[in-house]
Amino acid sequence: MKKVRAPFRLALRRRAEMDVEEEFAFHIEMRTAELVKSGLDSGAARREAERQFGDLDDARRFCGETNARRETKHMNQELLQETKQDIRFALRALRRSPAFSVIAVLTLALGIGANTAIFSVVRGILLRPLPFGNPGALVMVAPTFDGERSVWSPANLQDVREQNTSFTSVATMEGHPAVLTGNGSPERLRGYRVSADFFPLLGLRAVRGRIAFTPDEAAYNGPKAVILIESLWRTRFGGDTTLIGRTIALDNEAYRVVGIAPNDAVYPRKTDIWFPFTFKPADLANSRGAVYLNAIARLKPGVPLETAVADARAIGKRLATQYPEMNRGLGATVVPLDEWITGSIKRPLLILLGGVAFVLLIACANVANLLLVRSVSREGELAVRTALG
């Protein structure tokens, strides 16, 4: 709005400055004429008239600003009055033809409503950045078997963590639902087991306590710990700040709550709780055929995605050569986290957004046609208005 009104304000200021200059010139000429009549020559009379007038620059600035404010106020009053007249005329026109008004409003409401709804979904899924620290460096590292994406075995993933040169860290996660008992009726929770570096890798801050597991908690047969999502903490435990450090019953076992994670920084989506992921020694020694782990990683500063992809593929080929019985056809790929999350829904959403935008265009065209037809029916009225000025 400011950009639209700026040219008008500039024009008003220039016109005010011209009016002030003309007014000053008139008064100085009048005073000069009076001094000439009193006996002074024209040059001396001019200089004396300007001296008596005072600081011309300051006077010009003051009068110009005053005149511009007056003009702006007058223009705003005229604009407000014209707007009121237009609104009254529009309301009278709507009352005269209610069917036209209803059709036009419903047509535009359909187009605008559909666009608003779909754009809200697209913005939340595709346009809004992920709520993590430096989300552009987060990637998913996935194995491939004969070109198809899969999940890792513990031993293969451990080799990836040790052999890669592209990631600052590689975190592990696996689905692990649990049943919450005590403090009300039992409730089935969506949970994940994650490695100790999972939350630090994402760069999240805790609402309460800490959202990171200690090495002891992530060790095999270590103390049982759990991190809750903020919504569960508030709904099931009433936002009790003393819950940190206390134990809750999950699957009839006691787990100590060490932290509360924020709602808007949840990964994977719709997760209620996180447990520390611990490997049995046998898992790392004899588990290349048991695939059940996902891996998320953060690129090292300055490492492009293409380099990380090449690094992962080289590791996959090396593992396929070293362990041909379990890793036949093994490869690896690296996918940006935002692309991994949107996955197959990105293209349908964009197509749907384009479709509803086309619906809005059709709605606008229909309303324009209605207005055109209505204007034809008002030819007589418009002719009379034109004749009357």
Side-chain angles (χ1 to χ4, degrees):
M1 188 63 179
K2 291 181 179 180
K3 292 182 179 180
V4 174
R5 298 179 64 180
F8 297 100
R9 290 184 176 179
L10 181 60
L12 286 174
R13 183 174 292 276
R14 288 177 177 173
R15 188 173 70 178
E17 290 174 353
M18 293 176 60
D19 292 342
V20 169
E21 287 296 332
E22 291 176 359
E23 189 74 15
F24 283 175
F26 172 77
H27 286 289
I28 291 175
E29 291 295 335
M30 292 291 293
R31 183 57 180 161
T32 300
E34 292 175 359
L35 292 174
V36 169
K37 288 181 180 180
S38 66
L40 293 176
D41 62 85
S42 60
R46 179 77 180 187
R47 290 190 296 272
E48 179 61 20
E50 292 178 350
R51 187 191 66 80
Q52 292 180 3
F53 204 88
D55 189 347
L56 287 176
D57 292 336
D58 185 65
R60 286 191 185 96
R61 183 169 56 255
F62 174 78
C63 293
E65 291 176 353
T66 303
N67 196 17
R69 285 197 297 269
R70 185 178 70 250
E71 291 287 346
T72 301
K73 182 178 180 181
H74 179 67
M75 186 185 72
N76 290 339
Q77 290 175 346
E78 287 185 348
L79 180 62
L80 180 61
Q81 185 65 27
E82 291 175 359
T83 302
K84 289 180 179 179
Q85 292 176 355
D86 291 341
I87 292 175
R88 286 197 294 267
F89 175 76
L91 292 176
R92 288 197 301 269
L94 292 176
R95 285 198 299 267
R96 284 198 303 268
S97 52
F100 167 82
S101 304
V102 170
I103 293 173
V105 170
L106 289 179
T107 302
L108 290 177
L110 176 63
I112 296 173
N115 273 269
T116 302
I118 298 303
F119 180 78
S120 299
V121 175
V122 171
R123 179 181 179 274
I125 297 177
L126 301 182
L127 303 181
R128 188 171 58 185
L130 296 175
F132 308 125
N134 189 17
L138 293 175
V139 295
M140 294 295 293
V141 185
T144 59
F145 285 93
D146 297 326
E148 297 293 329
R149 288 184 191 172
S150 181
V151 288
W152 293 103
S153 66
N156 284 339
L157 182 55
Q158 184 65 22
D159 287 337
V160 171
R161 300 179 74 170
E162 294 175 352
Q163 297 177 20
N164 84 86
T165 59
S166 303
F167 310 120
T168 57
S169 59
V170 180
T172 307
M173 55 185 181
E174 176 206 8
H176 186 72
V179 176
L180 173 66
T181 56
N183 192 35
S185 59
E187 180 179 356
R188 185 173 179 80
L189 303 178
R190 294 158 296 191
Y192 269 81
R193 295 197 303 164
V194 297
S195 56
D197 54 354
F198 177 78
F199 287 105
L201 180 146
L202 294 178
L204 301 180
R205 290 187 176 183
V207 176
R208 292 281 177 179
R210 55 180 166 86
I211 49 174
F213 295 113
T214 64
D216 289 341
E217 292 165 346
Y220 180 62
N221 285 334
K224 296 183 181 298
V226 68
I227 294 173
L228 308 182
I229 187 65
E230 182 181 1
S231 58
L232 177 66
W233 172 58
R234 295 192 181 280
T235 56
R236 188 64 185 250
F237 300 97
D240 185 4
T241 56
T242 65
L243 183 65
I244 306 300
R246 289 164 41 194
T247 60
I248 59 175
L250 295 167
D251 294 333
N252 296 321
E253 295 187 48
Y255 285 81
R256 187 167 64 92
V257 179
V258 298
I260 307 297
N263 288 329
D264 59 350
V266 175
Y267 189 78
R269 294 287 184 182
K270 299 181 179 180
T271 305
D272 298 314
I273 53 174
W274 294 266
F275 302 89
F277 193 98
T278 59
F279 285 112
K280 297 179 182 179
D283 289 341
L284 296 178
N286 305 303
S287 62
R288 298 199 182 267
V291 292
Y292 57 93
L293 298 177
N294 288 292
I296 183 172
R298 180 177 289 276
L299 296 174
K300 291 181 178 179
V303 175
L305 180 65
E306 294 77 11
T307 301
V309 172
D311 187 16
R313 288 175 177 173
I315 295 173
K317 290 181 180 179
R318 188 159 54 246
L319 292 176
T321 302
Q322 291 177 348
Y323 308 99
E325 299 83 4
M326 295 297 180
N327 291 336
R328 187 179 304 277
L330 176 66
T333 187
V334 178
V335 182
L337 182 60
D338 55 353
E339 182 179 331
W340 182 277
I341 292 174
T342 57
S344 59
I345 66 172
K346 182 176 182 179
R347 183 183 296 273
L349 279 178
L350 293 178
I351 293 174
L352 186 59
L353 181 62
V356 295
F358 188 67
V359 169
L360 178 59
L361 181 62
I362 294 174
C364 293
N366 288 337
V367 173
N369 288 332
L370 289 173
L371 290 172
L372 182 61
V373 172
R374 190 166 177 268
S375 65
V376 171
S377 66
R378 295 177 58 206
E379 285 184 349
E381 175 191 348
L382 295 176
V384 173
R385 287 179 178 272
T386 304
L388 294 176

PDB file of all heavy atoms in Angstrom, residues 15-39:
ATOM      1  N   ARG A  15       3.714  19.636  -6.138  1.00  0.00           N
ATOM      2  CA  ARG A  15       2.738  20.687  -6.388  1.00  0.00           C
ATOM      3  C   ARG A  15       2.728  21.718  -5.263  1.00  0.00           C
ATOM      4  O   ARG A  15       2.622  22.921  -5.503  1.00  0.00           O
ATOM      5  CB  ARG A  15       1.339  20.075  -6.547  1.00  0.00           C
ATOM      6  CG  ARG A  15       0.290  21.082  -7.011  1.00  0.00           C
ATOM      7  CD  ARG A  15      -1.010  20.412  -7.320  1.00  0.00           C
ATOM      8  NE  ARG A  15      -1.658  19.945  -6.104  1.00  0.00           N
ATOM      9  CZ  ARG A  15      -2.853  19.353  -6.088  1.00  0.00           C
ATOM     10  NH1 ARG A  15      -3.487  19.127  -7.232  1.00  0.00           N
ATOM     11  NH2 ARG A  15      -3.378  18.942  -4.951  1.00  0.00           N
ATOM     12  N   ALA A  16       2.891  21.223  -4.022  1.00  0.00           N
ATOM     13  CA  ALA A  16       2.940  22.141  -2.884  1.00  0.00           C
ATOM     14  C   ALA A  16       4.164  23.038  -2.964  1.00  0.00           C
ATOM     15  O   ALA A  16       4.096  24.245  -2.664  1.00  0.00           O
ATOM     16  CB  ALA A  16       2.945  21.340  -1.583  1.00  0.00           C
ATOM     17  N   GLU A  17       5.301  22.468  -3.374  1.00  0.00           N
ATOM     18  CA  GLU A  17       6.519  23.276  -3.488  1.00  0.00           C
ATOM     19  C   GLU A  17       6.361  24.361  -4.555  1.00  0.00           C
ATOM     20  O   GLU A  17       6.816  25.495  -4.366  1.00  0.00           O
ATOM     21  CB  GLU A  17       7.699  22.360  -3.823  1.00  0.00           C
ATOM     22  CG  GLU A  17       8.102  21.444  -2.670  1.00  0.00           C
ATOM     23  CD  GLU A  17       9.172  20.452  -3.082  1.00  0.00           C
ATOM     24  OE1 GLU A  17       9.491  20.410  -4.303  1.00  0.00           O
ATOM     25  OE2 GLU A  17       9.668  19.720  -2.206  1.00  0.00           O
ATOM     26  N   MET A  18       5.712  24.000  -5.656  1.00  0.00           N
ATOM     27  CA  MET A  18       5.488  24.998  -6.700  1.00  0.00           C
ATOM     28  C   MET A  18       4.569  26.114  -6.213  1.00  0.00           C
ATOM     29  O   MET A  18       4.814  27.307  -6.483  1.00  0.00           O
ATOM     30  CB  MET A  18       4.885  24.326  -7.939  1.00  0.00           C
ATOM     31  CG  MET A  18       5.823  23.362  -8.655  1.00  0.00           C
ATOM     32  SD  MET A  18       5.038  22.494 -10.035  1.00  0.00           S
ATOM     33  CE  MET A  18       4.570  23.873 -11.064  1.00  0.00           C
ATOM     34  N   ASP A  19       3.509  25.739  -5.459  1.00  0.00           N
ATOM     35  CA  ASP A  19       2.608  26.761  -4.925  1.00  0.00           C
ATOM     36  C   ASP A  19       3.335  27.688  -3.961  1.00  0.00           C
ATOM     37  O   ASP A  19       3.117  28.913  -3.971  1.00  0.00           O
ATOM     38  CB  ASP A  19       1.430  26.089  -4.206  1.00  0.00           C
ATOM     39  CG  ASP A  19       0.519  25.352  -5.176  1.00  0.00           C
ATOM     40  OD1 ASP A  19       0.596  25.636  -6.384  1.00  0.00           O
ATOM     41  OD2 ASP A  19      -0.265  24.491  -4.697  1.00  0.00           O
ATOM     42  N   VAL A  20       4.194  27.115  -3.120  1.00  0.00           N
ATOM     43  CA  VAL A  20       4.943  27.934  -2.155  1.00  0.00           C
ATOM     44  C   VAL A  20       5.890  28.879  -2.880  1.00  0.00           C
ATOM     45  O   VAL A  20       5.998  30.073  -2.532  1.00  0.00           O
ATOM     46  CB  VAL A  20       5.701  27.012  -1.177  1.00  0.00           C
ATOM     47  CG1 VAL A  20       6.689  27.825  -0.347  1.00  0.00           C
ATOM     48  CG2 VAL A  20       4.726  26.291  -0.266  1.00  0.00           C
ATOM     49  N   GLU A  21       6.580  28.375  -3.900  1.00  0.00           N
ATOM     50  CA  GLU A  21       7.501  29.227  -4.657  1.00  0.00           C
ATOM     51  C   GLU A  21       6.759  30.377  -5.316  1.00  0.00           C
ATOM     52  O   GLU A  21       7.226  31.532  -5.319  1.00  0.00           O
ATOM     53  CB  GLU A  21       8.234  28.387  -5.702  1.00  0.00           C
ATOM     54  CG  GLU A  21       9.292  27.462  -5.145  1.00  0.00           C
ATOM     55  CD  GLU A  21      10.432  28.208  -4.486  1.00  0.00           C
ATOM     56  OE1 GLU A  21      10.708  29.363  -4.878  1.00  0.00           O
ATOM     57  OE2 GLU A  21      11.038  27.643  -3.565  1.00  0.00           O
ATOM     58  N   GLU A  22       5.598  30.100  -5.896  1.00  0.00           N
ATOM     59  CA  GLU A  22       4.830  31.163  -6.532  1.00  0.00           C
ATOM     60  C   GLU A  22       4.371  32.198  -5.506  1.00  0.00           C
ATOM     61  O   GLU A  22       4.396  33.410  -5.774  1.00  0.00           O
ATOM     62  CB  GLU A  22       3.620  30.556  -7.247  1.00  0.00           C
ATOM     63  CG  GLU A  22       3.983  29.719  -8.469  1.00  0.00           C
ATOM     64  CD  GLU A  22       2.769  29.059  -9.096  1.00  0.00           C
ATOM     65  OE1 GLU A  22       1.656  29.259  -8.544  1.00  0.00           O
ATOM     66  OE2 GLU A  22       2.926  28.357 -10.114  1.00  0.00           O
ATOM     67  N   GLU A  23       3.972  31.705  -4.320  1.00  0.00           N
ATOM     68  CA  GLU A  23       3.518  32.631  -3.279  1.00  0.00           C
ATOM     69  C   GLU A  23       4.668  33.493  -2.777  1.00  0.00           C
ATOM     70  O   GLU A  23       4.527  34.727  -2.607  1.00  0.00           O
ATOM     71  CB  GLU A  23       2.919  31.828  -2.118  1.00  0.00           C
ATOM     72  CG  GLU A  23       2.217  32.676  -1.067  1.00  0.00           C
ATOM     73  CD  GLU A  23       0.877  33.207  -1.563  1.00  0.00           C
ATOM     74  OE1 GLU A  23       0.360  32.702  -2.577  1.00  0.00           O
ATOM     75  OE2 GLU A  23       0.369  34.140  -0.926  1.00  0.00           O
ATOM     76  N   PHE A  24       5.841  32.897  -2.546  1.00  0.00           N
ATOM     77  CA  PHE A  24       6.996  33.669  -2.096  1.00  0.00           C
ATOM     78  C   PHE A  24       7.399  34.701  -3.155  1.00  0.00           C
ATOM     79  O   PHE A  24       7.701  35.854  -2.840  1.00  0.00           O
ATOM     80  CB  PHE A  24       8.168  32.736  -1.822  1.00  0.00           C
ATOM     81  CG  PHE A  24       8.063  31.988  -0.524  1.00  0.00           C
ATOM     82  CD1 PHE A  24       9.005  31.030  -0.185  1.00  0.00           C
ATOM     83  CD2 PHE A  24       7.026  32.240   0.354  1.00  0.00           C
ATOM     84  CE1 PHE A  24       8.914  30.348   1.004  1.00  0.00           C
ATOM     85  CE2 PHE A  24       6.924  31.545   1.543  1.00  0.00           C
ATOM     86  CZ  PHE A  24       7.867  30.596   1.876  1.00  0.00           C
ATOM     87  N   ALA A  25       7.426  34.259  -4.411  1.00  0.00           N
ATOM     88  CA  ALA A  25       7.825  35.175  -5.486  1.00  0.00           C
ATOM     89  C   ALA A  25       6.872  36.368  -5.568  1.00  0.00           C
ATOM     90  O   ALA A  25       7.306  37.518  -5.773  1.00  0.00           O
ATOM     91  CB  ALA A  25       7.857  34.420  -6.814  1.00  0.00           C
ATOM     92  N   PHE A  26       5.577  36.102  -5.373  1.00  0.00           N
ATOM     93  CA  PHE A  26       4.592  37.189  -5.424  1.00  0.00           C
ATOM     94  C   PHE A  26       4.845  38.220  -4.325  1.00  0.00           C
ATOM     95  O   PHE A  26       4.883  39.438  -4.570  1.00  0.00           O
ATOM     96  CB  PHE A  26       3.181  36.605  -5.304  1.00  0.00           C
ATOM     97  CG  PHE A  26       2.115  37.638  -5.145  1.00  0.00           C
ATOM     98  CD1 PHE A  26       1.670  38.381  -6.245  1.00  0.00           C
ATOM     99  CD2 PHE A  26       1.546  37.901  -3.903  1.00  0.00           C
ATOM    100  CE1 PHE A  26       0.679  39.347  -6.091  1.00  0.00           C
ATOM    101  CE2 PHE A  26       0.565  38.855  -3.748  1.00  0.00           C
ATOM    102  CZ  PHE A  26       0.116  39.578  -4.845  1.00  0.00           C
ATOM    103  N   HIS A  27       5.050  37.731  -3.082  1.00  0.00           N
ATOM    104  CA  HIS A  27       5.246  38.669  -1.966  1.00  0.00           C
ATOM    105  C   HIS A  27       6.563  39.432  -2.100  1.00  0.00           C
ATOM    106  O   HIS A  27       6.635  40.632  -1.766  1.00  0.00           O
ATOM    107  CB  HIS A  27       5.206  37.905  -0.644  1.00  0.00           C
ATOM    108  CG  HIS A  27       3.831  37.470  -0.250  1.00  0.00           C
ATOM    109  ND1 HIS A  27       2.865  38.351   0.182  1.00  0.00           N
ATOM    110  CD2 HIS A  27       3.245  36.231  -0.221  1.00  0.00           C
ATOM    111  CE1 HIS A  27       1.740  37.701   0.461  1.00  0.00           C
ATOM    112  NE2 HIS A  27       1.952  36.397   0.226  1.00  0.00           N
ATOM    113  N   ILE A  28       7.614  38.756  -2.563  1.00  0.00           N
ATOM    114  CA  ILE A  28       8.902  39.448  -2.716  1.00  0.00           C
ATOM    115  C   ILE A  28       8.805  40.508  -3.810  1.00  0.00           C
ATOM    116  O   ILE A  28       9.348  41.618  -3.673  1.00  0.00           O
ATOM    117  CB  ILE A  28      10.006  38.425  -3.026  1.00  0.00           C
ATOM    118  CG1 ILE A  28      10.282  37.552  -1.788  1.00  0.00           C
ATOM    119  CG2 ILE A  28      11.289  39.123  -3.462  1.00  0.00           C
ATOM    120  CD1 ILE A  28      11.270  36.431  -2.017  1.00  0.00           C
ATOM    121  N   GLU A  29       8.114  40.182  -4.927  1.00  0.00           N
ATOM    122  CA  GLU A  29       7.940  41.162  -5.984  1.00  0.00           C
ATOM    123  C   GLU A  29       7.140  42.360  -5.495  1.00  0.00           C
ATOM    124  O   GLU A  29       7.467  43.522  -5.817  1.00  0.00           O
ATOM    125  CB  GLU A  29       7.245  40.513  -7.194  1.00  0.00           C
ATOM    126  CG  GLU A  29       8.094  39.489  -7.931  1.00  0.00           C
ATOM    127  CD  GLU A  29       9.308  40.120  -8.576  1.00  0.00           C
ATOM    128  OE1 GLU A  29       9.269  41.338  -8.871  1.00  0.00           O
ATOM    129  OE2 GLU A  29      10.303  39.389  -8.766  1.00  0.00           O
ATOM    130  N   MET A  30       6.103  42.126  -4.709  1.00  0.00           N
ATOM    131  CA  MET A  30       5.303  43.229  -4.169  1.00  0.00           C
ATOM    132  C   MET A  30       6.132  44.123  -3.269  1.00  0.00           C
ATOM    133  O   MET A  30       6.085  45.365  -3.345  1.00  0.00           O
ATOM    134  CB  MET A  30       4.108  42.665  -3.399  1.00  0.00           C
ATOM    135  CG  MET A  30       3.075  41.979  -4.268  1.00  0.00           C
ATOM    136  SD  MET A  30       2.171  43.136  -5.333  1.00  0.00           S
ATOM    137  CE  MET A  30       1.269  44.082  -4.103  1.00  0.00           C
ATOM    138  N   ARG A  31       6.944  43.501  -2.390  1.00  0.00           N
ATOM    139  CA  ARG A  31       7.768  44.297  -1.476  1.00  0.00           C
ATOM    140  C   ARG A  31       8.863  45.030  -2.234  1.00  0.00           C
ATOM    141  O   ARG A  31       9.188  46.187  -1.920  1.00  0.00           O
ATOM    142  CB  ARG A  31       8.396  43.374  -0.420  1.00  0.00           C
ATOM    143  CG  ARG A  31       9.225  44.104   0.620  1.00  0.00           C
ATOM    144  CD  ARG A  31       8.395  45.165   1.324  1.00  0.00           C
ATOM    145  NE  ARG A  31       9.186  45.870   2.318  1.00  0.00           N
ATOM    146  CZ  ARG A  31       8.859  47.063   2.823  1.00  0.00           C
ATOM    147  NH1 ARG A  31       7.736  47.680   2.415  1.00  0.00           N
ATOM    148  NH2 ARG A  31       9.610  47.635   3.739  1.00  0.00           N
ATOM    149  N   THR A  32       9.406  44.375  -3.252  1.00  0.00           N
ATOM    150  CA  THR A  32      10.429  45.037  -4.074  1.00  0.00           C
ATOM    151  C   THR A  32       9.852  46.268  -4.760  1.00  0.00           C
ATOM    152  O   THR A  32      10.495  47.338  -4.818  1.00  0.00           O
ATOM    153  CB  THR A  32      10.976  44.049  -5.122  1.00  0.00           C
ATOM    154  OG1 THR A  32      11.557  42.932  -4.457  1.00  0.00           O
ATOM    155  CG2 THR A  32      12.025  44.715  -6.002  1.00  0.00           C
ATOM    156  N   ALA A  33       8.638  46.147  -5.278  1.00  0.00           N
ATOM    157  CA  ALA A  33       7.988  47.289  -5.934  1.00  0.00           C
ATOM    158  C   ALA A  33       7.769  48.442  -4.959  1.00  0.00           C
ATOM    159  O   ALA A  33       7.957  49.624  -5.296  1.00  0.00           O
ATOM    160  CB  ALA A  33       6.670  46.835  -6.554  1.00  0.00           C
ATOM    161  N   GLU A  34       7.385  48.110  -3.717  1.00  0.00           N
ATOM    162  CA  GLU A  34       7.177  49.160  -2.715  1.00  0.00           C
ATOM    163  C   GLU A  34       8.483  49.882  -2.397  1.00  0.00           C
ATOM    164  O   GLU A  34       8.526  51.117  -2.248  1.00  0.00           O
ATOM    165  CB  GLU A  34       6.589  48.554  -1.444  1.00  0.00           C
ATOM    166  CG  GLU A  34       5.167  48.033  -1.608  1.00  0.00           C
ATOM    167  CD  GLU A  34       4.675  47.339  -0.342  1.00  0.00           C
ATOM    168  OE1 GLU A  34       5.467  47.257   0.634  1.00  0.00           O
ATOM    169  OE2 GLU A  34       3.518  46.871  -0.339  1.00  0.00           O
ATOM    170  N   LEU A  35       9.604  49.118  -2.276  1.00  0.00           N
ATOM    171  CA  LEU A  35      10.893  49.727  -1.955  1.00  0.00           C
ATOM    172  C   LEU A  35      11.411  50.571  -3.122  1.00  0.00           C
ATOM    173  O   LEU A  35      12.093  51.588  -2.913  1.00  0.00           O
ATOM    174  CB  LEU A  35      11.907  48.629  -1.610  1.00  0.00           C
ATOM    175  CG  LEU A  35      11.635  47.869  -0.294  1.00  0.00           C
ATOM    176  CD1 LEU A  35      12.607  46.720  -0.137  1.00  0.00           C
ATOM    177  CD2 LEU A  35      11.717  48.815   0.904  1.00  0.00           C
ATOM    178  N   VAL A  36      11.135  50.144  -4.357  1.00  0.00           N
ATOM    179  CA  VAL A  36      11.537  50.935  -5.511  1.00  0.00           C
ATOM    180  C   VAL A  36      10.817  52.284  -5.518  1.00  0.00           C
ATOM    181  O   VAL A  36      11.402  53.345  -5.809  1.00  0.00           O
ATOM    182  CB  VAL A  36      11.267  50.166  -6.815  1.00  0.00           C
ATOM    183  CG1 VAL A  36      11.429  51.077  -8.032  1.00  0.00           C
ATOM    184  CG2 VAL A  36      12.218  48.975  -6.932  1.00  0.00           C
ATOM    185  N   LYS A  37       9.520  52.259  -5.133  1.00  0.00           N
ATOM    186  CA  LYS A  37       8.766  53.503  -5.076  1.00  0.00           C
ATOM    187  C   LYS A  37       9.301  54.442  -4.006  1.00  0.00           C
ATOM    188  O   LYS A  37       9.191  55.670  -4.108  1.00  0.00           O
ATOM    189  CB  LYS A  37       7.294  53.202  -4.801  1.00  0.00           C
ATOM    190  CG  LYS A  37       6.575  52.580  -5.982  1.00  0.00           C
ATOM    191  CD  LYS A  37       5.120  52.330  -5.643  1.00  0.00           C
ATOM    192  CE  LYS A  37       4.379  51.706  -6.823  1.00  0.00           C
ATOM    193  NZ  LYS A  37       2.952  51.450  -6.498  1.00  0.00           N
ATOM    194  N   SER A  38       9.919  53.822  -2.927  1.00  0.00           N
ATOM    195  CA  SER A  38      10.451  54.657  -1.846  1.00  0.00           C
ATOM    196  C   SER A  38      11.801  55.271  -2.197  1.00  0.00           C
ATOM    197  O   SER A  38      12.372  56.023  -1.411  1.00  0.00           O
ATOM    198  CB  SER A  38      10.578  53.841  -0.570  1.00  0.00           C
ATOM    199  OG  SER A  38      11.560  52.828  -0.727  1.00  0.00           O
ATOM    200  N   GLY A  39      12.381  54.930  -3.376  1.00  0.00           N
ATOM    201  CA  GLY A  39      13.619  55.561  -3.811  1.00  0.00           C
ATOM    202  C   GLY A  39      14.778  54.624  -4.031  1.00  0.00           C
ATOM    203  O   GLY A  39      15.828  55.059  -4.507  1.00  0.00           O
TER     204      GLY A  39
END
